[in-house]
Amino acid sequence: MSWSIRVGRFLGVDLYVHLTFLLLLAWVVIWQYLQTRNWVIALSELLFVSLVFGIIVLHEYGHAVAARQFGVATRDITLLPIGGVARLERIPENPYQEFVIAVAGPAVNVALGVLCLAWLLATGSLRAELTTLSENWLAGGLVAKLLAINILLVLFNMLPAFPMDGGRVLRAVLAMNMDYLLATQIAARVGQILALLLGFVGLFGAPMLLFIALFVWIGATQEASATAARASLAGVPVRSAMMSDFRVIRPDASLEVVAQHILAGFQQDFPVVEEDRVVGMITRDKLLRSLAERGPYGQVAEVMQRDFVTAHPDEPLGEAFQRLQTCDCHSIPVVQDGQLVGVISVENIGEFLMIQRAARQTPLVA
């Protein structure tokens, strides 16, 4: 997010453009001009690429609108050179809800494709445009190109592999008839097999397929691991994994004090407490940036994160884990009856899982 520029808020969701996407647009213009020595062609190609990414944005907003119907908020949408990313607060484990959210994005492309097809049919240019596209892509008309792009986006996104929409559709369909964790494992394995096939084909002169194969393999593995972790945390309260021995920072403390606490081996993120009430959080990353900007004598109150989420010691650990994954934070305070009773972090949960796994593998002593 630090490399992204907020361009607006639409349908209640912030839209960001990553700086590397702007570099991609600049590269498109320069490359086209060097190939043709014609600024009109270069700028027309820029317009086409911008329209393609506009379609991708609409695709991501399709997911966001569908998720909202089930009470799932979308934190933001970011446009990257490889496509768009909609960050949902959570992925619902209700198979029907996940199915609807997953197909909503491709459904937008289907609708746009139908509109393009209707235009070509109405103008009587469908056959001629398709013939032109098959012979020379650059010579094709704009509407025909957009039709082709929407078809390709539907086919690509519906590949049965995480993190594509098709992987989530496959899991949702499987989860309607079996355990959610098992459905995830099967869908992830299908994705890994597909990644191997794509990678094998990519070895024969298609380097982009190698990149996609790596992308699919990592996505499938991460999704399987995250779902297994959530399943392992089911029924476990936050108090079982939270840090009960921790340090807090006062809002009038200097940044140097926070740095000393980190060097002393305490936790990396600190609740900021005033009059026994948590008023903010200061993370290690924020500390480092603030030290560079303000020096060691800057005050914590000036840089602390005032918008933060909390956990309750008796709530399911899986819910807190999900919140940690989506809140742009590394640790969250655990509060009971207005009092700070602990801190929970990704590391805490990881260590808890490792200990639980090791305990299950300990052989019985006769």
Side-chain angles (χ1 to χ4, degrees), residues 108-147:
V108 171
N109 297 120
V110 171
L112 293 173
V114 168
L115 290 175
C116 293
L117 179 61
W119 174 267
L120 294 174
L121 288 173
T123 57
S125 58
L126 177 61
R127 178 172 296 181
E129 286 287 1
L130 292 181
T131 301
T132 302
L133 281 182
S134 64
E135 296 174 351
N136 185 352
W137 171 265
L138 292 178
L142 177 61
V143 177
K145 286 183 179 180
L146 294 178
L147 172 61

Side-chain angles (χ1 to χ4, degrees), residues 302-356:
E302 298 172 344
V303 300
M304 68 182 184
Q305 184 178 338
R306 298 177 183 273
D307 182 18
F308 58 94
V309 297
T310 63
H312 190 278
D314 295 325
E315 77 169 294
L317 185 55
E319 293 183 9
F321 177 55
Q322 198 166 51
R323 211 172 300 142
L324 272 166
Q325 291 180 304
T326 59
C327 71
D328 282 337
C329 54
H330 188 262
S331 305
I332 57 178
V334 183
V335 178
Q336 183 176 25
D337 299 327
Q339 299 295 312
L340 180 66
V341 296
V343 175
I344 190 77
S345 69
V346 175
E347 280 76 14
N348 290 134
I349 296 175
E351 289 165 356
F352 175 82
L353 288 172
M354 286 190 294
I355 291 171
Q356 293 295 101

Side-chain angles (χ1 to χ4, degrees), residues 39-176:
W39 280 112
V40 174
I41 295 177
L43 292 176
S44 65
E45 192 65 18
L46 172 64
L47 173 62
F48 175 71
V49 172
S50 300
L51 287 174
V52 170
F53 278 94
I55 290 172
I56 293 174
V57 169
L58 292 177
H59 174 109
E60 298 302 332
Y61 270 98
H63 291 308
V65 171
R68 183 181 299 170
Q69 306 309 309
F70 302 112
V72 179
T74 302
R75 294 185 60 82
D76 52 57
I77 292 173
T78 302
L79 197 55
L80 301 163
I82 59 173
V85 177
R87 290 199 306 161
L88 304 183
E89 284 191 344
R90 59 185 175 86
I91 299 296
E93 294 191 4
N94 180 303
Y96 171 74
Q97 294 180 1
E98 181 174 26
F99 179 87
V100 172
I101 294 171
V103 300
V108 171
N109 297 120
V110 171
L112 293 173
V114 168
L115 290 175
C116 293
L117 179 61
W119 174 267
L120 294 174
L121 288 173
T123 57
S125 58
L126 177 61
R127 178 172 296 181
E129 286 287 1
L130 292 181
T131 301
T132 302
L133 281 182
S134 64
E135 296 174 351
N136 185 352
W137 171 265
L138 292 178
L142 177 61
V143 177
K145 286 183 179 180
L146 294 178
L147 172 61
I149 289 297
N150 278 291
I151 293 174
L152 290 174
L153 285 173
V154 171
L155 294 176
F156 177 74
N157 279 283
M158 290 307 292
L159 288 175
F162 295 114
M164 267 82 81
D165 301 328
R168 302 197 180 281
V169 169
L170 175 60
R171 175 172 62 185
V173 172
L174 292 172
M176 292 176 185

Side-chain angles (χ1 to χ4, degrees), residues 10 24 27 33 38 59 61 73 94 115 187-188 192 216 226 234 241 256 258 267 273-274 308 314 330 333:
F10 310 96
L24 170 66
W27 178 83
Y33 177 74
N38 188 318
H59 174 109
Y61 270 98
N94 180 303
L115 290 175
Q192 290 173 331
V216 169
E256 184 178 29
V258 184
Q267 73 262 22
V273 176
E274 185 176 30
F308 58 94
D314 295 325
H330 188 262

